[in-house]
Amino acid sequence: MIQDAAIIYEGESNFPSREPITVIATGIKRKSKNAKTGAMVQLWIILQNESPYNASKLGIDGAVCGDCKHRRSNGGACYVDLSKAPHAVYRKYSSGGYEQINNETLNHLKNLKVRLGAYGDMFAIPYKPLKNFLSYVGKHTGYTHAWQNLDNKSIDLARKYFVASVDSGKELSKARKLGLSTFRVKALNDNNNISNEIECVNTTHNKSCADCMLCSGRPSEKTRPRNIYINVHGSR
């Protein structure tokens, strides 16, 4: 039976703190109502023993988000409202509401569009289980702030499945040299135009991620890197 939501990983975080994390897929059968992303399976990376909101307040969310400078525990302005969907996922998980993903559901993911990280960075998952899970994923979007600290094997995964989240022209240039596509959040007072960047089509054409799918890494070496930006947004 195909599950609507399931655990895809439980174990030690790949990030330095090594705290136990869980990665949960939701909206496999009942499609997400997120207006920006459209109908996509959503993946949530959470601590096993602390809610996302409390983890951020305590400054222990590095096991989920790595060294992302937008973590609220770092004084950043992450767009994710931790008191809403991430908290609801954690509450259901902590009460035993999710089962491990079964083979039928895993295989079904090939037919769906998957958002790799509605909250958290997928590189919190160690390399082998991450690579294995990604082999089941068909169409997808994915972003990582961890790209500057990945080893060569993980960089290969990042090129194929993810775009590098960058915060400056300097970071964008560095990511390009690694063969990564990029996604940049542009500050309101940033008037710099970077060559070969395009504005997110959700802004320019009101097109959902599910209908666009440009933020999907480089599925093959023939796929040219894409560089996308969006104006700063979110609850902060």
Side-chain angles (χ1 to χ4, degrees), residues 6 27 56 68 78 101 114 127 134 136 145 210 213 221 227 236:
S56 177
C68 177
C78 178
I101 197 164
V114 181
Y127 176 78
L134 291 174
Y136 289 94
H145 260 99
M213 304 303 288
E221 291 185 2
N227 307 109
R236 280 194 166 185

Side-chain angles (χ1 to χ4, degrees), residues 149-163:
N149 299 308
L150 299 178
D151 59 25
N152 290 335
K153 292 190 303 181
S154 295
I155 278 288
D156 287 341
L157 284 184
R159 287 192 195 99
K160 184 174 181 179
Y161 292 97
F162 298 87
V163 297

